[in-house]
Amino acid sequence: MKKYDFLIVGAGLFGSVFAHEMSKAGKSVLVVDKRDHIGGNVFCENINGINVHKYGAHIFHTSNKEIWDYVNSFVEFNRYTNSPIANFKGELFNLPFNMNTFYKLWGVKTPEEAKAKIEEQKKEYSHIKEPKNLEEQALVLGGKDIYEKLIKGYTEKQWGRPATQIPAFIIRRLPFRFTFDNNYFNDTYQGIPKGGYNKLIEGLLDGVEVNLGINFFEEKEKLTSIAHKVVYTGKIDEFFEYKYGKLEYRSLHFEHEELDIQDFQGNAVVNYTEKEIPFTRIIEHKHFEFGKQSNTIITREYPHEFSKDNEPYYPLNDDKNQTLFEKYKELANKESNVLFGGRLADYKYYDMHNVIDVALQTVKKLVDNEE
Ligand SMILES: Cc1cc2nc3c(=O)[nH]c(=O)nc-3n(C[C@H](O)[C@H](O)[C@H](O)COP(=O)(O)OP(=O)(O)OC[C@H]3O[C@@H](n4cnc5c(N)ncnc54)[C@H](O)[C@@H]3O)c2cc1C
């Protein structure tokens, strides 16, 4: 006897949206996750009153009103606007590159002056017709000052190799903004759930049966036998026992520290753009929710090689890995009772609004096909 219509592997955003929508459609679902908490990578741990983004800073942003209304139906969002600061050798700059950044770099006060200065900086590299690597590409697009102070060190730390060994296509253009606007995103809607992301996931999984601390592969036969269909949101290569080899990722290492002061850096996100400082940024979590606590918690973020002992964060979608993924995808397409979804199964970087959108579309297609 099959007890469930769907066994959902992974209580991240994809699994939670899928579970919620299918329950709403009258299906029976069981969600399992190998971690001891729900939410996947958007999970926050409340430490002494502060919601700590345990798997990296998450800022919700979208221009899709339907998705915005959807998440707001589970939890109200605050008005947090991401306006990161870059610290280069103790000098502070606003990001994304905008008039505040240009004023700090060169003292220019009008868009016209800023554009002229950038053209002057770029001119030095106009002889480079076909940039061979990221360094050349960045110099051609923005000139020396922006590259050396705001791009080089940060990018080299992110990728773990010199900019001359990073492919040029990584930077297609530099997003210059000729207004005094420090809002990092261009989207219509932006914010953080009031009370943290767990509220969103708890809302989605309200009334859904969830079993934590269960690794699908350790109980595959049993788990598969109790449901008509499996929805798998883990790593696609792991599902097929790495038979063609391992897909590569870039990983991160987080160092959390609680400080007995009210405010460490006056902003949620400060990037460290010089090479000599080993972390890429410091997150001060309370600022995501305008916290007034007397203490604070900061997290230093270190880019890291991916190995079996750390989390797969960013897929390396170069030709080699993409080709490998396509081979796994072919196998996945042949699995009639398993549905693959989410960032690890699709081997794709999704923002939160993207993954919610894909999960909603997937459910819609299945429900429509039944009718
Ligand atoms: C550092 C970082 C920062 C980010 N910042 C932002 C941001 O600011 N804004 C934004 O919109 N997006 C951001 N994102 C993207 C966001 O994290 C993803 O869109 C979202 O988490 C994807 O959800 P998911 O369900 O696909 O995957 P996940 O959240 O990874 O969920 C998958 C779940 O499956 C479970 N699982 C895997 N294998 C098994 C198994 N064998 N058995 C049982 N369970 C298993 C995992 O434990 C996990 O809980 C960021 C991503 C990263 C890496």
Side-chain angles (χ1 to χ4, degrees):
M1 257 291 282
K2 305 264 185 198
K3 190 169 170 211
Y4 301 98
D5 292 309
F6 293 98
L7 168 84
I8 300 167
V9 182
L13 266 177
F14 188 96
S16 301
V17 169
F18 191 98
H20 180 84
E21 292 302 310
M22 276 302 178
S23 298
K24 214 169 73 184
K27 303 292 180 192
S28 53
V29 304
L30 169 66
V31 178
V32 297
D33 201 299
K34 62 182 177 186
R35 294 179 181 171
D36 63 1
H37 59 75
I38 56 174
N41 279 2
V42 308
F43 170 72
C44 298
E45 185 180 350
N46 191 287
I47 302 176
N48 294 331
I50 297 170
N51 287 317
V52 175
H53 297 209
K54 288 296 273 196
Y55 301 90
H58 278 74
I59 299 124
F60 197 94
H61 58 97
T62 182
S63 290
N64 183 330
K65 184 160 187 331
E66 255 176 65
I67 300 291
W68 182 245
D69 289 344
Y70 185 76
V71 292
N72 274 273
S73 71
F74 298 99
V75 58
E76 200 183 332
F77 277 61
N78 71 19
R79 59 148 196 90
Y80 176 80
T81 304
N82 195 31
S83 313
I85 298 288
N87 181 326
F88 177 76
K89 303 196 173 180
E91 252 190 305
L92 302 184
F93 298 90
N94 288 107
L95 295 175
F97 308 132
N98 70 75
M99 284 303 297
N100 290 307
T101 329
F102 307 141
Y103 174 66
K104 184 69 198 287
L105 276 167
W106 306 305
V108 291
K109 296 191 178 99
T110 65
E112 202 184 338
E113 284 172 23
K115 285 176 189 166
K117 187 72 193 175
I118 290 170
E119 282 312 309
E120 179 194 308
Q121 287 260 316
K122 282 162 62 170
K123 220 169 168 184
E124 213 181 306
Y125 303 96
S126 57
H127 60 281
I128 303 177
K129 299 294 176 218
E130 276 185 33
K132 288 190 294 298
N133 51 53
L134 185 138
E135 174 162 298
E136 290 189 359
Q137 176 74 303
L139 288 167
V140 166
L141 291 171
K144 187 170 168 212
D145 291 353
I146 289 177
Y147 173 65
E148 289 192 343
K149 293 192 172 177
L150 300 173
I151 298 175
K152 186 178 192 295
Y154 190 84
T155 315
E156 290 187 336
K157 288 189 280 188
Q158 264 189 327
W159 286 83
R161 54 186 132 141
T164 48
Q165 287 174 27
I166 303 170
F169 77 83
I170 301 293
I171 298 188
R172 289 189 200 284
R173 55 180 207 98
L174 290 178
F176 292 138
R177 194 182 279 164
F178 294 98
T179 54
F180 291 90
D181 179 3
N182 296 326
N183 179 356
Y184 193 75
F185 297 113
N186 291 314
D187 279 321
T188 316
Y189 311 104
Q190 180 174 179
I192 304 280
K194 286 190 177 169
Y197 284 92
N198 299 5
K199 289 247 152 75
L200 171 62
I201 303 290
E202 283 159 12
L204 285 162
L205 292 178
D206 188 25
V208 170
E209 198 180 335
V210 181
N211 285 346
L212 296 173
I214 297 200
N215 187 332
F216 173 66
F217 297 111
E218 283 164 18
E219 302 176 37
K220 190 172 173 188
E221 228 167 274
K222 185 181 123 210
L223 288 169
T224 312
S225 72
I226 57 171
H228 288 284
K229 270 198 169 17
V230 172
V231 177
Y232 177 79
T233 74
K235 283 160 58 202
I236 191 166
D237 52 355
E238 188 176 12
F239 187 91
F240 295 107
E241 294 167 1
Y242 306 108
K243 76 186 271 182
Y244 298 134
K246 288 190 176 176
L247 288 166
E248 291 175 299
Y249 288 85
R250 190 88 181 125
S251 191
L252 296 168
H253 163 72
F254 300 109
E255 227 175 63
H256 306 289
E257 189 181 356
E258 184 166 2
L259 302 170
D260 203 15
I261 54 171
Q262 213 196 351
D263 206 333
F264 175 73
Q265 61 186 18
N267 204 40
V269 183
V270 176
N271 291 359
Y272 284 79
T273 56
E274 70 200 78
K275 183 77 186 299
E276 290 71 23
I277 291 182
F279 45 85
T280 43
R281 50 186 195 166
I282 296 184
I283 306 300
E284 187 169 15
H285 301 268
K286 68 191 301 181
H287 294 303
F288 287 127
E289 299 184 56
F290 312 106
K292 299 275 181 282
Q293 300 86 345
S294 58
N295 60 331
T296 192
I297 297 175
I298 60 167
T299 300
R300 294 182 182 83
E301 194 170 303
Y302 299 80
H304 214 277
E305 288 301 312
F306 169 61
S307 72
K308 65 175 178 34
D309 301 319
N310 44 37
E311 291 288 330
Y313 281 112
Y314 297 109
L316 292 183
N317 296 98
D318 56 10
D319 291 346
K320 182 181 118 199
N321 283 290
Q322 207 51 35
T323 307
L324 185 55
F325 168 70
E326 295 302 333
K327 286 173 77 176
Y328 283 118
K329 184 78 194 144
E330 252 176 59
L331 292 182
N333 289 341
K334 290 187 194 142
E335 294 279 334
S336 53
N337 280 328
V338 187
L339 224 141
F340 295 78
R343 66 181 193 101
L344 294 167
D346 287 349
Y347 192 61
K348 188 170 176 180
Y349 178 82
Y350 284 123
D351 270 329
M352 291 180 277
H353 64 101
N354 299 128
V355 90
I356 292 171
D357 200 13
V358 179
L360 289 173
Q361 308 276 355
T362 309
V363 172
K364 189 171 181 311
K365 235 185 268 167
L366 287 172
V367 172
D368 286 353
N369 278 349
E370 261 191 8
E371 284 170 4

